[in-house]
Amino acid sequence: MATDLRLPTDRIVRPDKDRFLDEENPFEAMMSRFDRAAELLDLEPGLYKVLRHPEKQITVSIPVMMDNGEVEVFIGHRVLYNTSRGPAKGGIRFDMNVSIEEVKALAAWMTWKCAVVNLPFGGAKGGVVCDPLKMSAGELERLTRRYTAGIIATLGPDSDVPAPDVNTNERVMAWVMDTYSMRMGHTVTAVVTGKPIEMGGSLGRREATGRGCMIVTKEALKHLGMSTQGTTVAVQGFGNVGSVAAQLLSREGCKIVAISDRTGGYYNKNGVDIDAAIKHVQRVRSLEGFTGGDQISNEELLESPVDVLLPAALENVITSKNAGKIKAKMICEGANGPTSAGADSILDEKGIFVVPDILANAGGVTVSYFEWVQDRGGYFWTEETVNNRLTEIMCNSFAAVLQLAKQHKVNMRTAAYMLSISRVATVHRLRGIYA
Ligand code: NAD
């Protein structure tokens, strides 16, 4: 099937800026979890200081000739948080709310995420302050190419490998890859992941994050002594992650009783027909007007009486305000940062088992790693091989985090941070400080 290269027009993942920023500073929110894990690991003060700072931050001005003949200047950032374990890995987002603080937080997040699933990558993130939905394809291409030129000194298969993120897609990655390749004088497919299949992308990448969520949810249910058969699930967000996770979980025997997107939610106690919902979204580009369940709000979905809650839309949807009302026995964090730091202790007190984002949604970066490996090897795997290797990595990572959680009597989030930080710290100790 030919790859759809259109920019998604329904992909403003974080429309409500104030809600996010009011809740917590993104870098400090993430680092509060880092601090707790570092304390439990008794991390030496020098290493603590090293890991609390990004390795490199680049900010570039990006002049773009707009279609009306006027020049606009955009601001772009790329942060390489830590590259001790390998090339930096992390997406590029185009969004009006991009800020250096947010890019720093997301780059640190990528460092811990790659380490928790033991990929030989460090963490990075990039972003350009722009509204891609108001720009033409030509303007976006010129913006992408000039941003790529601005950060080209850091890019490379051995140094910094971007991927799609909010409001960027396969097409944007193709422009990044082409710009880099033109500057190098030869084709370098492994400089980005999330590329179209036709030019070095990996089979299974599109479904990888949702598939990873399904795999860890099954592992968590096993740990909790629950069967997948008939287990009720509510999924917030019906995009790439949410729709795939819902479809795969329903194929495993779970009953998806609630789904939602930005237009609202739907509840059906007998189980929503996920294939029908996916067809509806393909037709109308949202769940609006779906008739397969009773309408509910996104708030009601989060608090609905289900076994599993799978937030797969936005940051900070489970906060100290609503955490006490959550009825699910377990939460699988498909989205990045759906739970605020303030909500963690409330969920703990209620005995809710949380598979944290850095583990739960690491399937995407894992298959990005597979893409990079395939590009470098020049040999491409079948979808079955990709899925089998993904399953192995997700199951092993879940088991390693669970074992640490039991050993230190901490929750899964703290254990996941402890595992990642200890892996990064070990490499720093072995490498020493270059002087
Ligand atoms: P997407 O744009 O494909 O889908 C987002 C979905 O969330 C859409 O259905 C949208 O309508 C819905 N949504 C938006 N605002 C909402 C609101 N206020 N209430 C309820 N639903 C709302 O995005 P995605 O790729 O599925 O990403 C979802 C989350 O998963 C994000 O946090 C993203 O950072 C994270 N994530 C994605 C990947 C990946 O590979 N796609 C990997 C890791 C993490």
Side-chain angles (χ1 to χ4, degrees):
M1 196 173 73
T3 303
D4 183 357
L5 296 179
R6 287 171 307 170
L7 259 189
T9 50
D10 63 340
R11 254 196 94 159
I12 313 169
V13 173
R14 184 164 34 73
D16 189 351
K17 180 184 179 197
D18 294 340
R19 198 176 57 106
F20 182 49
L21 295 182
D22 282 346
E23 183 74 23
E24 283 166 345
N25 169 303
F27 186 69
E28 289 308 324
M30 198 271 310
M31 287 320 259
S32 70
R33 270 92 176 232
F34 167 84
D35 282 350
R36 172 155 165 67
E39 199 183 322
L40 286 164
L41 287 168
D42 208 10
L43 199 66
E44 52 271 45
L47 207 39
Y48 173 79
K49 274 190 244 169
V50 171
L51 297 185
R52 242 188 166 279
H53 289 88
E55 245 172 57
K56 196 183 280 182
Q57 293 177 214
I58 303 167
T59 296
V60 289
S61 300
I62 310 163
V64 176
M65 180 65 74
M66 306 301 279
D67 291 347
N68 63 8
E70 288 182 16
V71 174
E72 280 296 337
V73 178
F74 298 88
I75 297 298
H77 309 285
R78 184 78 182 160
V79 174
L80 271 57
Y81 196 83
N82 189 289
T83 60
S84 59
R85 288 169 48 85
K89 189 87 198 77
I92 295 170
R93 60 175 58 181
F94 289 171
D95 193 271
M96 284 310 287
N97 298 326
V98 162
S99 69
I100 189 69
E101 278 305 295
E102 185 191 63
V103 177
K104 251 167 67 181
L106 295 166
W109 222 323
M110 285 305 297
T111 307
W112 316 133
K113 194 184 289 189
C114 290
V116 83
V117 282
N118 218 359
L119 307 181
F121 281 145
K125 206 78 181 190
V128 178
V129 188
C130 66
D131 185 349
L133 304 183
K134 292 199 179 130
M135 296 171 72
S136 69
E139 290 168 342
L140 279 171
E141 178 173 352
R142 293 192 288 280
L143 174 90
T144 305
R145 288 185 183 278
R146 185 61 188 254
Y147 169 67
T148 306
I151 62 167
I152 208 150
T154 86
L155 296 182
D158 290 316
S159 51
D160 182 15
V161 186
D165 195 72
V166 175
N167 292 330
T168 59
N169 63 0
E170 295 184 342
R171 182 176 203 180
V172 174
M173 291 309 108
W175 291 328
V176 174
M177 179 277 207
D178 183 69
T179 305
Y180 182 84
S181 297
M182 287 297 126
R183 288 283 287 267
M184 294 301 125
H186 60 277
T187 295
V188 188
T189 50
V191 68
V192 287
T193 61
K195 296 179 295 294
I197 301 281
E198 298 86 338
M199 53 180 281
S202 178
L203 293 171
R205 172 63 188 90
R206 200 190 72 76
E207 300 82 10
T209 307
R211 180 174 292 277
C213 290
M214 176 275 284
I215 297 165
V216 293
T217 299
K218 273 178 67 184
E219 291 301 294
L221 289 173
K222 225 186 285 169
H223 163 68
L224 296 172
M226 293 163 69
S227 152
T228 44
Q229 298 307 311
T231 285
T232 54
V233 184
V235 182
Q236 184 189 47
F238 208 68
N240 178 266
V241 180
S243 66
V244 173
Q247 188 173 47
L248 295 178
L249 280 167
S250 73
R251 285 193 192 145
E252 294 293 324
C254 292
K255 201 201 282 182
I256 317 298
V257 292
I259 57 171
S260 72
D261 71 0
R262 77 178 72 245
T263 64
Y266 298 85
Y267 184 87
N268 184 335
K269 69 173 177 7
N270 299 318
V272 175
D273 180 344
I274 298 299
D275 290 340
I278 289 174
K279 280 201 191 108
H280 182 91
V281 171
Q282 279 165 352
R283 220 175 36 246
V284 239
R285 308 201 76 184
S286 80
L287 283 171
E288 198 163 16
F290 181 60
T291 51
D294 301 330
Q295 282 195 27
I296 55 168
S297 68
N298 265 291
E299 290 70 29
E300 285 169 326
L301 177 137
L302 294 169
E303 295 165 18
S304 56
V306 287
D307 298 314
V308 179
L309 177 61
L310 206 158
L314 304 167
E315 304 92 346
N316 283 328
V317 291
I318 302 170
T319 65
S320 47
K321 292 196 190 88
N322 65 355
K325 297 183 205 146
I326 302 241
K327 299 180 190 71
K329 298 184 184 72
M330 70 157 280
I331 297 173
C332 173
E333 294 185 338
N336 283 322
T339 309
S340 75
D344 278 349
S345 53
I346 303 172
L347 299 178
D348 279 348
E349 273 164 33
K350 288 173 66 84
I352 298 174
F353 186 83
V354 179
V355 186
D357 48 10
I358 58 170
L359 171 63
N361 67 36
V365 73
T366 302
V367 176
S368 279
Y369 163 59
F370 295 164
E371 179 175 336
W372 177 81
V373 170
Q374 292 170 81
D375 287 340
R376 301 193 74 165
Y379 181 74
F380 290 85
W381 310 347
T382 62
E383 192 162 354
E384 193 187 358
T385 303
V386 169
N387 291 345
N388 288 343
R389 290 182 173 164
L390 173 65
T391 304
E392 190 182 344
I393 288 185
M394 295 306 292
C395 289
N396 289 346
S397 306
F398 180 89
V401 172
L402 182 63
Q403 199 258 331
L404 210 59
K406 285 183 186 159
Q407 186 186 333
H408 291 270
K409 299 189 172 41
V410 293
N411 64 24
M412 289 287 280
R413 190 186 314 282
T414 303
Y417 274 86
M418 287 174 77
L419 182 63
S420 325
I421 294 167
S422 64
R423 282 179 172 158
V424 177
T426 299
V427 174
H428 271 277
R429 287 187 202 107
L430 288 168
R431 289 180 60 158
I433 295 179
Y434 175 77

